[in-house]
């Protein structure tokens, strides 16, 4: 299957599922319904993965040269009930599933059990190991409890509140039947790819439906993609101290797969304050089979750092912009404030310094912040920014267009920082040049397109343009390395060049002259206008004559209008 066919299959599937799911929403608001839908998608995933492993085992039991081969002859032949009984017993051994990194799913949590019984418990009851199940909500909660009980990694992760949902039980049953239509395979994709895609799509749709609140758990995919593509987290520790539903980790996994790397080469660390969002992120990782460490519990990054000893190779985050009252219980002498105490009324530089504190010596970070962070001089912010610049930690600043976020109209930018601008090889194998005392400014405010009346988005080409500019600036060009290809156009394409109105590489001396303001528009200048070849004197003479003709025409029309008004009795 081609990429286009895969995308067509997924697009059709997501629209069908969302339309149907949204019809079932009725009285529940998006914030509650989000957990109802995503929890059931998670159940479908773990059950699908379990069934896939179960079918693999059945095949292995029948394969003579496989270590798990069960010889039918030892049981009087494959038709003997004893053989079928032995296979059934073996299929219920947890070790087979755990060794393949598949969650163990008890009988009462398997998908066919939910589907077979979701109508029975509406108006009736079901006995499950002595527990009387009297509603679809209880059926789902019981399944989630069973999975948590048998998989310590998921303890406290699943949102077991279906019994409390104010939703018609018949609609919950319909939701199970709807999610049952998510196929195991299609267009060359497996169930994990499909369910992961649907999960991510629903997260985005719920963020839109929730509006301002939705932005607290979801960062637009194109922004996440841009930061991940620029940082290239191929291997090492990846950390997000304000992770929401885990979008940066999902995109890092996609990036690694698309570039033929190994997902096992990265370790995922995250933190989130909101309990239900922390659960969403954990389910998001589990659906993709990603190992993760989100700390012992949901907690404030400032007062209860879940990873105090972590030094990460890549740190990426989209924290709340201009967050107030963030520092209750935080010491003024906290060791994280190496470059100055952040003001109580704005957490921007607290996030930035927290991320720097957790950055490894060769690490890089990408942080979304409000535009004010690039120029504000109030309450010590200017002094902190000056220290960061003078310590040569700032690598690149990207100004973003407006209307990218569902939850705020505040203009935003991306800070890219690194602790090492020396020549070295990056995690992706890129040969980086020495970039001391230099910052790259990119003004991307004119990029993107309006996807609807209120939201702007980047195209893949926009993301590639920004990313390639950054990498060309970072990298030892072919000519610098003495490896010209002989193709002048190709050699030129591998070299960085300032583009007026879009990008400029600037020395720290020039930033100092601008009072340590980091707004790209100050440095990149105006976009060059294409020269049409007409001499200036000739152009001025032509335009002056054209203007005179337009004035004359204007006077003629004015006289004509006055004459017509006079004829109607309205003249002077």
């Amino acid at each position: 299957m081609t990429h286009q066919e895969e995308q067509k299959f997924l697009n059709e599937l997501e629209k069908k599922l969302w339309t149907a799911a949204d019809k079932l929403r009725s009285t529940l608001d998006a914030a509650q319904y989000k957990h109802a839908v995503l929890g059931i998608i998670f159940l479908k995933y773990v059950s699908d993965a379990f069934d896939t492993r179960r079918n693999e085992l059945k095949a292995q039991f029948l394969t003579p040269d496989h270590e798990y081969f069960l010889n039918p002859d030892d049981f009087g032949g494959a038709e003997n009930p004893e053989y079928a009984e032995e296979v059934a017993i073996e299929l219920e051994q947890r070790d087979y599933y755990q060794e393949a990194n598949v969650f163990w799913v008890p009988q009462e949590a398997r998908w066919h059990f939910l589907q077979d019984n979701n109508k029975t418990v509406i108006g009736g009851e079901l006995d499950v190991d002595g527990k009387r199940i009297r509603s679809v909500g209880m059926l789902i909660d019981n399944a989630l409890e069973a999975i948590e009980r048998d998989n310590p990694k998921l303890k406290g992760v699943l949102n077991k509140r279906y019994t409390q949902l104010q939703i018609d039980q018949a609609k919950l049953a319909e939701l199970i039947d709807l999610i049952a239509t998510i196929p195991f395979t299609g267009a060359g994709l497996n169930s994990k790819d499909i369910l992961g895609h649907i999960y991510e799509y629903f997260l985005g749709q719920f963020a839109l439906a929730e509006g301002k609140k939705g932005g607290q758990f979801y960062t637009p995919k194109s922004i996440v993609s841009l930061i991940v593509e620029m940082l290239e987290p191929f291997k090492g520790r990846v950390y997000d101290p304000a992770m929401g539903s885990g979008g940066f980790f999902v995109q890092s996994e996609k990036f690694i797969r698309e570039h033929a790397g190994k997902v096992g080469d990265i370790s995922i660390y995250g933190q989130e304050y909101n309990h239900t969002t922390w659960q969403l992120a954990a389910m998001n990782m589990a659906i993709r089979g990603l190992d993760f460490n989100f700390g012992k519990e949901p907690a404030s990054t400032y007062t209860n750092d879940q990873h105090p000893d972590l030094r990460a190779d890549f740190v990426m985050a989209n924290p709340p912009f201009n967050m107030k009252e963030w520092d209750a219980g935080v010491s003024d002498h906290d060791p994280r404030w190496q470059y100055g105490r952040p003001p109580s009324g704005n957490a921007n530089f607290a996030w930035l310094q927290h991320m720097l504190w957790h950055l490894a010596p060769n690490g890089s970070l990408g942080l979304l912040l409000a535009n004010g962070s690039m120029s504000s001089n109030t309450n010590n912010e200017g002094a902190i920014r000056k220290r960061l610049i003078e310590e040569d930690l700032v690598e690149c600043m990207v100004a973003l267009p407006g209307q990218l976020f569902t939850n705020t109209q505040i203009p935003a930018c991306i800070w890219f920082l690194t602790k090492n601008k020396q020549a070295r090889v990056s995690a992706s194998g890129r040969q980086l040049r020495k970039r001391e005392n230099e910052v790259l400014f990119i003004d991307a405010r004119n990029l993107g397109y309006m996807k609807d009346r209120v939201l702007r988005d980047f195209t893949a080409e926009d993301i590639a343009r920004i990313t390639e500019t950054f990498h060309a600036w970072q990298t030892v060009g072919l000519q610098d390395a003495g490896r010209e290809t002989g193709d002048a156009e190709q050699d030129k394409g591998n070299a960085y060049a300032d583009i007026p109105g879009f990008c400029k590489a600037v020395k720290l001396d020039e930033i100092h002259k601008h009072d340590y303001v980091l707004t790209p528009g100050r440095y990149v200048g105006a976009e060059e206008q294409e020269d049409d070849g007409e001499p200036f004197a000739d152009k001025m003479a032509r335009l002056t004559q054209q203007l005179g003709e337009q004035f004359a025409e204007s006077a003629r029309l004015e006289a004509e209008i006055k004459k017509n008004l006079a004829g109607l009795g309205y003249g002077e």
Side-chain angles (χ1 to χ4, degrees):
M1 288 283 180
T2 66
H3 177 70
Q4 286 82 3
E5 286 171 322
E6 282 181 15
Q7 206 54 50
K8 183 170 181 264
F9 168 80
L10 291 170
N11 289 346
E12 287 172 357
L13 180 61
E14 67 193 19
K15 284 185 179 64
K16 179 187 99 174
L17 287 170
W18 177 257
T19 303
D22 209 34
K23 278 180 188 168
L24 295 174
R25 184 144 56 115
S26 67
T27 56
L28 277 188
D29 68 25
Q32 289 179 292
Y33 193 61
K34 168 179 74 196
H35 295 289
V37 173
L38 294 173
I40 297 175
I41 290 177
F42 177 79
L43 272 175
K44 171 80 161 106
Y45 163 71
V46 292
S47 192
D48 277 11
F50 182 85
D51 285 346
T52 299
R53 177 60 178 153
R54 195 177 177 85
N55 290 332
E56 281 175 4
L57 289 167
K58 284 178 183 173
Q60 289 165 1
F61 294 159
L62 290 168
T63 305
D65 57 355
H66 197 279
E67 61 177 314
Y68 293 156
F69 175 55
L70 283 175
N71 193 337
D73 294 342
D74 296 342
F75 300 87
E79 305 305 317
N80 193 314
E82 283 185 30
Y83 180 69
E85 189 179 327
E86 183 63 25
V87 168
I89 291 168
E90 286 296 310
L91 287 173
E92 294 297 319
Q93 302 304 308
R94 294 185 195 202
D95 289 350
Y96 287 128
Y97 300 88
Q98 288 168 346
E99 72 182 12
N101 220 11
V102 170
F103 291 114
W104 170 258
V105 182
Q107 289 280 356
E108 64 266 39
R110 293 175 193 172
W111 191 259
H112 64 82
F113 184 85
L114 296 180
Q115 262 205 292
D116 291 348
N117 293 292
N118 66 22
K119 307 295 187 298
T120 307
V121 294
I122 299 176
E125 67 174 30
L126 187 70
D127 186 317
V128 180
D129 293 333
K131 189 187 286 187
R132 312 304 293 174
I133 306 291
R134 298 187 182 89
S135 70
V136 182
M138 285 181 74
L139 189 71
I140 297 170
D141 282 344
N142 186 63
L144 293 169
E145 282 165 15
I147 288 172
E148 270 201 4
R149 183 185 64 234
D150 287 350
N151 297 278
K153 182 77 178 171
L154 295 174
K155 186 167 177 56
V157 160
L158 307 182
N159 200 336
K160 306 175 292 296
R161 295 184 188 169
Y162 287 83
T163 310
Q164 300 162 30
L165 284 177
Q166 300 300 307
I167 187 172
D168 181 354
Q169 292 300 298
K171 294 209 179 233
L172 259 186
E174 281 184 67
L175 201 50
I176 290 173
D177 290 339
L178 166 68
I179 289 165
T181 65
I182 301 177
F184 274 98
T185 56
L189 296 163
N190 62 36
S191 62
K192 187 163 82 170
D193 291 333
I194 294 166
L195 282 156
H197 180 91
I198 294 300
Y199 195 95
E200 186 179 358
Y201 172 76
F202 272 36
L203 277 172
Q205 290 298 106
F206 280 120
L208 287 172
E210 287 186 66
K212 192 167 183 179
K213 287 182 183 174
Q216 293 170 3
F217 71 87
Y218 185 80
T219 305
K221 189 176 168 185
S222 60
I223 303 296
V224 176
S225 296
L226 175 61
I227 292 175
V228 169
E229 292 282 340
M230 289 176 77
L231 289 182
E232 299 185 304
F234 257 104
K235 60 175 94 167
R237 293 148 298 193
V238 179
Y239 172 53
D240 183 346
M243 68 183 177
S245 53
F248 280 108
F249 305 132
V250 171
Q251 207 58 44
S252 297
E253 181 220 11
K254 284 186 179 171
F255 173 81
I256 291 165
R257 289 194 193 283
E258 284 170 6
H259 292 81
K262 294 178 185 170
V263 172
D265 286 346
I266 64 166
S267 304
I268 290 169
Y269 297 86
Q271 180 150 354
E272 172 58 41
Y273 178 73
N274 181 285
H275 185 264
T276 50
T277 305
W278 183 80
Q279 290 176 312
L280 274 185
M283 287 195 291
N284 207 0
M285 298 304 101
I287 270 185
R288 290 167 173 81
L290 296 175
D291 200 19
F292 60 92
N293 181 344
F294 291 165
K296 292 181 299 209
E297 59 192 347
S300 162
T301 299
Y302 293 117
T303 58
N304 189 3
D305 189 348
Q306 294 288 295
H307 309 286
D309 301 320
L310 174 66
R311 294 297 176 266
D313 302 289
F314 301 96
V315 185
M316 299 176 272
N318 171 26
F321 292 169
N322 304 327
M323 191 169 114
K324 302 183 190 314
E325 299 171 12
W326 59 273
D327 59 343
V330 181
S331 167
D332 287 353
H333 306 292
D334 191 298
R336 289 172 290 183
W337 314 148
Q338 289 180 286
Y339 307 98
R341 201 313 184 167
S344 297
N346 195 317
N348 288 344
F349 284 96
W351 286 113
L352 209 154
Q353 291 191 82
H354 172 86
M355 290 168 71
L356 273 170
W357 174 257
H358 281 290
L359 198 62
N362 285 333
S364 298
L365 72 82
L367 171 64
L368 271 158
L369 283 179
N371 273 1
S373 62
M374 299 189 288
S375 58
S376 168
N377 285 315
T378 56
N379 299 321
N380 209 35
E381 289 187 330
I384 298 172
R385 189 173 57 251
K386 179 181 176 182
R387 285 279 310 278
L388 294 170
I389 294 164
E390 288 180 337
E391 297 277 345
D392 205 14
L393 294 162
V394 182
E395 181 163 40
C396 178
M397 299 297 299
V398 179
L400 297 171
Q403 296 178 271
L404 285 170
F405 302 92
T406 57
N407 63 323
T408 181
Q409 292 303 308
I410 298 172
C413 60
I414 313 174
W415 290 63
F416 289 94
L417 284 81
T418 183
K419 288 187 173 178
N420 183 1
K421 288 187 182 177
Q422 296 293 327
R424 60 187 175 90
V425 177
S426 73
S428 63
R430 197 181 296 281
Q431 179 61 58
L432 304 181
R433 66 180 179 85
K434 189 174 179 180
R435 307 171 308 289
E436 286 181 309
N437 301 317
E438 192 178 320
V439 176
L440 177 65
F441 289 93
I442 297 176
D443 191 342
R445 288 177 298 171
N446 294 323
L447 299 187
Y449 69 100
M450 295 303 292
K451 62 192 293 189
D452 55 37
R453 280 189 313 105
V454 293
L455 275 180
R456 180 177 288 274
D457 203 359
F458 280 140
T459 64
E461 290 72 27
D462 292 330
I463 292 170
R465 185 183 180 197
I466 298 167
T467 300
E468 286 164 11
T469 299
F470 178 55
H471 290 162
W473 171 80
Q474 276 188 319
T475 308
V476 175
L478 292 175
Q479 293 180 2
D480 295 337
R483 294 185 285 113
E484 294 93 335
T485 65
D487 181 331
E489 281 304 307
Q490 187 180 332
D491 288 337
K492 183 180 171 186
N494 280 279
Y496 169 81
D498 291 340
I499 301 171
F502 178 64
C503 64
K504 188 174 182 186
V506 175
K507 295 293 185 185
L508 296 195
D509 291 349
E510 188 176 342
I511 298 173
H512 171 67
K513 288 174 191 169
H514 283 273
D515 294 323
Y516 299 97
V517 168
L518 291 176
T519 309
R522 286 235 181 163
Y523 301 96
V524 302
E527 190 174 351
E528 279 186 348
Q529 299 300 312
E530 195 173 322
D531 187 3
D532 58 10
E534 184 178 10
F536 178 76
D538 293 353
K539 183 179 285 188
M540 280 303 293
R542 176 174 61 76
L543 291 175
T544 304
Q545 181 187 347
Q546 191 176 330
L547 187 61
E549 290 168 358
Q550 287 169 345
F551 281 154
E553 178 65 5
S554 173
R556 186 187 70 76
L557 291 170
E558 186 180 346
E560 194 73 29
I561 291 166
K562 284 180 178 177
K563 180 180 164 187
N564 289 340
L565 286 170
L568 294 169
Y570 294 100
E572 294 176 357

